């Protein structure tokens, strides 16, 4: 099939490349000239494992192109996917749909043949209805058929999630659109027809938001259980493992941490709450998840502060991990980006290291920060090392803690991802502070 994908962010680029890998002819469009110029020379705008290889392969095999010129491409397409950004709007968490609507206007004026327009961006419930109205009133002869095809990929695992989806949700009110989109996704769902879930556009839109909100609730839930564990002396990792054994619950989402971040959970929970309140149907559980996640930031800070008797003046901290999770260079709503300015405000100095996020972080943060090339440089003369992101580079098998012990000023490790076994750290002479587990003092 001939496919046009509008928007080369995470969702658009991964989907476009993925559809070309399945054998379709794909053109990815973006109005940002620099992004398109770079993509045309094989440089991709995001860090995403194995994506670059797939871009090169499919460009070379002639199935994947990049262009700035939307209008000259759309009338060759069987399906057009809209995958432009829907960032958090100014007020009340309402999503900013200006890019989505401006693309819809442009399509409605320029599409001249029967085409399917499918929404991949995460848009609030009811958005496709508005877009259908734009198409019906403005396009020449009502030839555009719409669908909502939300994307569930995770950053860092995006290619894998695209190629092996947990489900393909397609909302459309046109039976013929379902047959075409089923055909397009058939190589992904292989023999399991149940993975293709057919519904109407409003329901598809809500499935996306409700899924993200549910996962955010799960994370905030374990973070509160983690706090309780600290009070009663239980071990949150074992609580999560024990709960996760129940298949109805599952282990994913039960890893306590510094709070969820990224491009989806923070934005989508707020947008869903906004939709709910507009419809006078409050989602109190989601509201609680957001408020628990907000308070996580203060909790992380106070845990560090308490360790230093609430005096952080002239303390040096090695911050390991800047991105909102491992496997990505994305800093959006990352707990580190909240913590570092606060530590600086209270008089501390920072040595920061991240395997992927340094370049972006350098542009966003200022103050007494030394940007380091590795974990050892970030450990020099610090009062504590603080782990914020669970990079595999930080696995105990990949770190020489004995070397770190010779570099630091004070042997304190604060681990907001529970990456280590307490004894492994305390036996090397460090104090070890983690989440939802007892503070373990050095056994030196
Ligand atoms: C998420 C959804 O998983 C994906 O389906 C959707 O399409 C986009 O949003 P992503 O934002 O890439 O994907 O990251 P994810 O791996 O889900 O993690 C989100 C946040 O939750 C991260 O900050 C992560 O550290 C945190 N998290 C996740 C936890 O704190 N504990 C967990 O157990 C899992």
């Amino acid at each position: 099939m001939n496919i046009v994908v509008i928007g080369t962010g995470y969702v658009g680029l991964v989907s476009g490349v993925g559809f070309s890998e399945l054998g379709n002819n794909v053109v990815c469009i973006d109005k940002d000239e620099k992004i398109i110029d770079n993509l045309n020379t094989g440089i991709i705008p995001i860090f995403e494992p194995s994506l670059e290889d797939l871009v090169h392969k499919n460009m070379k095999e002639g199935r994947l192109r990049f262009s700035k010129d939307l209008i000259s491409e759309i009338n060759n397409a069987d399906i057009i996917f809209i995958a432009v950004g829907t960032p958090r709007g100014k007020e009340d968490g309402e999503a900013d749909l200006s890019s989505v609507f401006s693309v819809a206007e442009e399509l409605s004026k320029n599409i001249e043949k029967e085409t399917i327009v499918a929404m991949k961006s995460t848009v609030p419930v009811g958005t496709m209805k508005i877009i259908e109205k734009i198409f019906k009133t403005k396009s020449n002869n009502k030839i555009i058929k719409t669908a909502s095809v939300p994307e569930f990929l995770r950053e860092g695992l995006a290619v894998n999630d695209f190629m092996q989806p947990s489900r393909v949700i397609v909302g459309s009110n046109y039976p013929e659109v379902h047959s075409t989109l089923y055909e397009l996704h058939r190589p992904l769902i292989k023999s399991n027809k149940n993975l293709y879930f057919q519904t109407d556009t409003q329901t598809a839109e809500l499935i996306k938001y409700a899924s993200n909100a549910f996962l955010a609730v799960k994370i905030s839930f374990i973070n509160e259980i983690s706090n309780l564990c600290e009070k009663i002396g239980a071990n949150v990792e074992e609580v999560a493992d024990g709960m996760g054994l129940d298949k109805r619950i599952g282990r994913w989402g039960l890893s306590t941490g510094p709070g969820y971040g990224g491009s989806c959970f923070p934005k989508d929970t707020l947008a869903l709450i906004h939709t709910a309140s507009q419809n006078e149907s409050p989602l109190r559980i989601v509201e609680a998840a957001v408020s628990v996640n907000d308070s996580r930031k203060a909790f992380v800070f106070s845990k560090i502060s308490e360790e230093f008797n609430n005096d952080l003046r002239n303390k040096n901290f090695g911050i390991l991990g800047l991105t909102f999770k491992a496997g990505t260079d994305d800093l959006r709503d990352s707990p580190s980006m909240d913590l570092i300015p606060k530590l600086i405000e209270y008089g501390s100095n920072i040595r920061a290291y991240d395997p992927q996020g340094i370049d972006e972080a350098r542009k966003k943060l200022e103050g007494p920060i030394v940007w380091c090339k590795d974990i050892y440089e970030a450990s020099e003369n610090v009062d504590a090392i603080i782990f914020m992101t669970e990079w595999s580079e930080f696995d105990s098998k990949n770190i020489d803690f004995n070397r770190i012990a010779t570099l630091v000023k004070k042997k304190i490790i604060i681990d907001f991802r529970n990456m280590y076994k307490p004894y492994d750290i305390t036996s090397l002479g460090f104090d070890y502070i983690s989440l939802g587990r007892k503070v373990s003092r050095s056994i030196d």
Side-chain angles (χ1 to χ4, degrees):
M1 288 187 208
N2 292 329
I3 292 174
V4 164
V5 180
I6 306 170
T8 56
Y10 265 101
V11 169
L13 188 57
V14 174
S15 314
V17 174
F19 285 130
S20 72
E21 177 68 8
L22 298 179
N24 301 286
N25 296 314
V26 178
V27 189
C28 293
I29 312 268
D30 206 297
K31 62 179 183 197
D32 186 323
E33 295 197 10
K34 196 164 167 234
I35 290 181
I36 294 299
D37 290 344
N38 280 339
L39 282 165
N40 275 324
T41 53
I43 301 168
I44 67 168
I46 48 173
F47 168 76
E48 188 60 45
S50 76
L51 186 62
E52 197 164 331
D53 290 346
L54 281 189
V55 168
H56 293 168
K57 175 177 174 240
N58 285 287
M59 281 175 86
K60 204 165 147 213
E61 291 171 8
R63 288 187 300 269
L64 180 63
R65 291 190 295 117
F66 300 98
S67 169
K68 292 159 239 179
D69 189 357
L70 175 69
I71 293 166
S72 67
E73 298 291 348
I74 51 180
N75 285 305
N76 300 319
D78 300 307
I79 307 169
I80 297 172
F81 284 101
I82 301 178
V84 294
T86 54
R88 196 181 297 172
K90 285 202 186 82
E91 284 163 35
D92 294 348
E94 193 178 4
D96 174 356
L97 297 176
S98 50
S99 300
V100 165
F101 289 135
S102 95
V103 166
E105 295 274 348
E106 209 161 343
L107 293 178
S108 70
K109 281 185 220 139
N110 294 290
I111 288 181
E112 284 160 5
K113 70 171 206 21
E114 194 165 307
T115 309
I116 296 172
V117 173
M119 182 62 70
K120 270 241 170 251
S121 308
T122 301
V123 290
V125 182
T127 304
M128 278 319 276
K129 279 214 156 155
I130 302 173
I131 288 177
E132 270 168 32
K133 272 194 200 140
I134 296 177
F135 289 158
K136 289 214 165 99
T137 50
K138 297 206 175 156
S139 80
N140 306 338
N141 41 11
K142 304 182 178 58
I143 43 182
I144 303 175
K145 294 184 175 161
T146 49
S148 170
V149 189
E151 185 52 66
F152 297 93
L153 50 83
R154 289 164 292 173
E155 292 182 21
L157 297 165
V159 172
N160 201 53
D161 283 349
F162 182 88
M163 290 299 176
Q164 292 170 44
S166 56
R167 74 281 208 205
V168 174
I169 305 288
V170 180
S172 180
N173 305 327
Y174 301 90
E176 63 277 27
V177 169
H178 279 292
S179 347
T180 309
L181 289 175
Y182 180 81
E183 233 6 79
L184 175 68
H185 290 96
R186 203 153 53 98
L188 297 176
I189 55 188
K190 301 187 180 85
S191 52
N192 190 351
K193 283 188 171 182
N194 293 334
L195 291 188
Y196 186 92
F197 188 85
Q198 177 170 334
T199 182
D200 58 84
T201 49
Q202 315 248 121
T203 307
E205 287 168 339
L206 187 54
I207 288 172
K208 169 71 192 187
Y209 277 101
S211 300
N212 276 356
F214 189 83
L215 296 173
V217 166
K218 206 173 171 191
I219 295 166
S220 282
F221 178 84
I222 201 66
N223 283 337
E224 287 212 302
I225 293 289
S226 173
N227 293 348
L228 180 60
C229 285
E230 289 180 15
K231 292 272 160 52
I232 63 175
N235 180 330
V236 72
E237 290 304 314
E238 291 176 14
V239 172
D241 288 345
M243 286 173 69
L245 286 172
D246 185 333
K247 286 202 174 69
R248 295 171 304 173
I249 299 174
R251 182 62 174 80
W252 196 95
L254 294 182
S255 295
T256 188
Y260 60 75
S263 63
C264 292
F265 289 170
K267 164 173 84 72
D268 294 351
T269 42
L270 291 180
L272 182 61
I273 290 169
H274 181 80
T275 303
S277 89
Q278 270 185 328
N279 288 280
E280 292 175 17
S281 181
L283 287 169
R284 284 159 295 184
I285 291 175
V286 184
E287 286 169 16
V290 170
S291 133
V292 168
N293 202 55
D294 287 343
S295 61
R296 202 75 185 146
K297 296 183 179 108
F299 174 80
V300 160
F301 175 77
S302 66
K303 218 167 164 64
I304 300 166
S305 185
E306 276 161 25
E307 184 61 21
F308 293 90
N309 297 321
N310 296 320
D311 181 3
L312 296 175
R313 284 170 302 167
N314 299 317
K315 299 291 180 299
N316 299 322
F317 294 112
I319 303 287
L320 293 168
L322 301 169
T323 54
F324 80 97
K325 66 170 189 177
T328 176
D329 59 357
D330 198 339
L331 300 174
R332 280 176 285 181
D333 276 304
S334 167
S336 287
M337 301 305 281
D338 186 80
L339 175 66
I340 292 174
K342 218 181 279 170
L343 289 173
I344 291 174
E345 187 190 327
Y346 281 79
S348 307
N349 305 306
I350 304 296
R351 301 180 72 81
Y353 171 66
D354 186 281
Q356 291 296 334
I358 294 262
D359 291 346
E360 272 308 297
R362 207 195 284 268
K363 291 182 207 155
K364 291 189 161 62
L365 296 176
E366 49 190 29
I369 306 172
V370 178
W371 302 101
C372 300
K373 67 173 186 317
D374 62 21
I375 179 167
Y376 303 105
E377 196 183 347
S379 303
E380 283 169 23
N381 209 26
V382 295
D383 292 276
I385 295 174
I386 303 171
F387 286 94
M388 293 296 289
T389 314
E390 72 291 14
W391 286 99
S392 59
E393 198 177 310
F394 303 156
D395 282 354
S396 53
K397 62 177 185 307
N398 299 326
I399 293 186
D400 182 351
F401 277 110
N402 285 315
R403 184 173 162 201
I404 289 178
T406 65
L407 296 169
V408 294
K409 180 154 79 185
K410 274 187 156 184
K411 289 163 81 175
I412 299 174
I413 288 182
I414 304 178
D415 174 8
F416 287 114
R417 295 288 181 169
N418 284 3
M419 285 187 290
Y420 309 110
K421 293 201 180 83
Y423 179 79
D424 290 352
I425 303 297
T426 53
S427 61
L428 296 170
F430 288 92
D431 286 348
Y432 181 59
I433 295 134
S434 58
L435 293 171
R437 301 186 292 189
K438 283 191 202 98
V439 171
S440 311
R441 296 294 165 189
S442 152
I443 56 168
D444 256 7

